[in-house]
Amino acid sequence: MQELQAQLRVFEAEIHSFDPKNAADVEAFRIRFLGTKGIVKQVLGEMKNVPVPQKKEAGQLLNAFKQLAEEKYASCQHLVSEVKMQDNHQDISLPGSDLPLGTRHPLRMIEKSIVGIFEKIGFSVATGPEIEDDWHNFTSLNMPADHPARDMQDTFYVSQNPDWVLRTHTSSVQARIMESSKPPIRVICPGRVYRNETISARAHCFFHQCEGLYIDKQVSFADLKQTLYYFVTEMFGKDTKVRFRPSYFPFTEPSAEMDISCTVCGGSGCNLCKHTGWVEILGCGMVHPNMLRNFNIDPEVYTGFAFGMGVERITQIKYQVNDLRLYSQNDVRFLRQFQNL
Ligand code: PHE
């Protein structure tokens, strides 16, 4: 018993004076005292040599010793976790760094509101491929190969014979919808389109459209006017006036272009409306019977209207952006101006 006590006193002194500098010291301590072949295990093994009457006392001494070693080890753990932190090069107690917030692109915001306005009156969104065949971009839209109206749209050809093009309008999506579904049809088709134009403030080789198509029994030009008038009042406010001018598109008959009263000057004349008081926003018309026939829809039973607008144009009117190139330059000084809209 005395031998045991003397031994423990030596070890206790060592534990008390143990002053680790780093995680390696702590680990060495663990192995020496608490490891599988460590001192605590060894001295506990001595119990079997202690005579029975003294076992209780010896047990208490040994337990106290074990506890001392464990407490010391626990009190050194900060050194171990600091090392772990350095290994990860992270200090989880530092405040987080600011992540700069991005903004939605103005064209996307306007596209979303156009689509939202038509969704409210039962239109659903349809999309299609940007690389299109001749049938869906031209021929089925009442523009056969020699049709002069093809010149209205300067086309990028991906391949010729068979002709694959970068779609020049999202009317190609309307063609695909008429091909794959039966009336009643009510779709709005947002998407990017391409035309071989020299890039300037007023023209670009790619831009965005939202086109709509409505086919059912007894759809009339009055429905077209009312639908577009609803769109204008939702988009630009209820005081906005509209006017329709006769126009020409091969896939609609009759066709029209729609103007709205200038949202900047209210009609008195400014740069946006070129001092006319009106700004053109879209083309529209009643779907041509030839186009309905191309998709096996009987023009004696069904009629429909279609319209198409440029998203850049609507955005320009809403926010007075007067250079188309700004939309694709990704200049954050431009984009940030739309942050809180
Ligand atoms: N597709 C025509 C264009 O790109 C717009 C349009 C669509 C006109 C539907 C009438 C009807 O210019």
Side-chain angles (χ1 to χ4, degrees):
M1 193 59 195
Q2 269 164 6
E3 218 174 281
L4 185 65
Q5 272 173 328
Q7 215 179 25
L8 288 182
R9 229 170 280 131
V10 176
F11 288 139
E12 276 165 13
E14 184 181 334
I15 291 174
H16 283 304
S17 62
F18 175 63
D19 182 20
K21 298 281 173 284
N22 51 40
D25 291 350
V26 179
E27 179 61 4
F29 178 90
R30 188 191 65 79
I31 293 168
R32 178 162 165 73
F33 285 95
L34 300 165
T36 41
K37 291 187 183 130
I39 288 165
V40 169
K41 275 265 163 59
Q42 277 172 33
V43 291
L44 285 177
E46 300 282 314
M47 273 296 279
K48 62 180 184 300
N49 302 326
V50 178
V52 178
Q54 288 164 317
K55 269 213 195 299
K56 189 176 172 201
E57 195 190 345
Q60 281 167 351
L61 281 177
L62 287 169
N63 269 335
F65 175 66
K66 181 176 174 225
Q67 211 176 334
L68 177 72
E70 282 171 351
E71 276 167 10
K72 184 74 182 188
Y73 179 63
S75 74
C76 303
Q77 284 309 302
H78 62 283
L79 287 172
V80 178
S81 48
E82 268 167 30
V83 165
K84 278 196 188 134
M85 223 135 69
Q86 281 162 11
D87 282 352
N88 293 332
H89 305 289
Q90 275 175 11
D91 179 352
I92 53 170
S93 64
L94 282 177
S97 51
D98 274 352
L99 288 177
L101 268 191
T103 69
R104 229 187 260 275
H105 194 281
L107 291 178
R108 280 275 175 235
M109 294 195 295
I110 291 294
E111 183 190 275
K112 192 163 168 264
S113 29
I114 296 171
V115 166
I117 290 170
F118 285 102
E119 277 178 336
K120 269 206 262 174
I121 52 169
F123 283 73
S124 47
V125 175
T127 55
E130 292 185 14
I131 297 178
E132 212 22 300
D133 54 35
D134 180 90
W135 169 254
H136 293 101
N137 196 77
F138 291 125
T139 306
S140 70
L141 300 165
N142 201 28
M143 276 188 274
D146 55 355
H147 199 288
R150 287 196 179 209
D151 294 344
M152 279 163 68
Q153 302 180 345
D154 303 293
T155 310
F156 281 120
Y157 284 84
V158 175
S159 76
Q160 266 172 322
N161 216 355
D163 286 350
W164 285 90
V165 301
L166 295 182
R167 67 180 178 197
T168 58
H169 48 188
T170 53
S171 304
S172 57
V173 183
Q174 304 181 1
R176 285 182 176 274
I177 292 295
M178 288 168 78
E179 186 175 63
S180 62
S181 44
K182 295 254 159 296
I185 293 172
R186 225 174 330 179
V187 287
I188 180 97
C189 314
R192 181 175 291 161
V193 301
Y194 301 83
R195 290 189 197 173
N196 193 352
E197 303 244 16
T198 309
I199 297 172
S200 70
R202 300 170 54 86
H204 212 294
C205 60
F206 64 82
F207 55 98
H208 300 77
Q209 285 189 329
C210 265
E211 295 209 357
L213 174 71
Y214 180 25
I215 300 175
D216 203 348
K217 287 174 182 156
Q218 295 179 331
V219 176
S220 70
F221 203 91
D223 297 318
L224 165 64
K225 286 174 89 171
Q226 192 56 42
T227 305
L228 293 178
Y229 182 62
Y230 154 78
F231 165 72
V232 166
T233 52
E234 289 286 304
M235 192 74 194
F236 298 104
K238 64 178 182 344
D239 295 331
T240 319
K241 295 189 199 60
V242 299
R243 74 175 185 188
F244 290 80
R245 283 175 292 104
S247 184
Y248 173 77
F249 299 101
F251 34 87
T252 48
E253 180 61 35
S255 304
E257 271 164 321
M258 191 179 82
D259 300 339
I260 59 170
S261 54
C262 184
T263 53
V264 171
C265 64
S268 57
C270 69
N271 276 342
L272 177 69
C273 62
K274 298 195 205 84
H275 301 277
T276 63
W278 296 94
V279 285
E280 183 200 319
I281 66 162
L282 56 80
C284 58
M286 300 305 292
V287 180
H288 199 292
N290 286 351
M291 186 172 171
L292 294 173
R293 274 187 218 107
N294 281 339
F295 295 104
N296 298 320
I297 297 171
D298 185 351
E300 300 300 326
V301 181
Y302 291 102
T303 49
F305 65 72
F307 58 88
M309 68 186 93
V311 181
E312 277 80 353
R313 178 77 175 143
I314 306 290
T315 314
Q316 178 202 9
I317 295 168
K318 272 292 256 199
Y319 300 127
Q320 276 93 64
V321 178
N322 44 28
D323 188 333
L324 273 177
R325 291 167 294 195
L326 286 166
Y327 292 123
S328 48
Q329 280 165 340
N330 274 342
D331 186 333
V332 291
R333 290 169 303 177
F334 170 70
L335 297 172
R336 275 207 195 110
Q337 296 177 64
F338 301 90
Q339 204 150 27
N340 297 319
L341 297 176

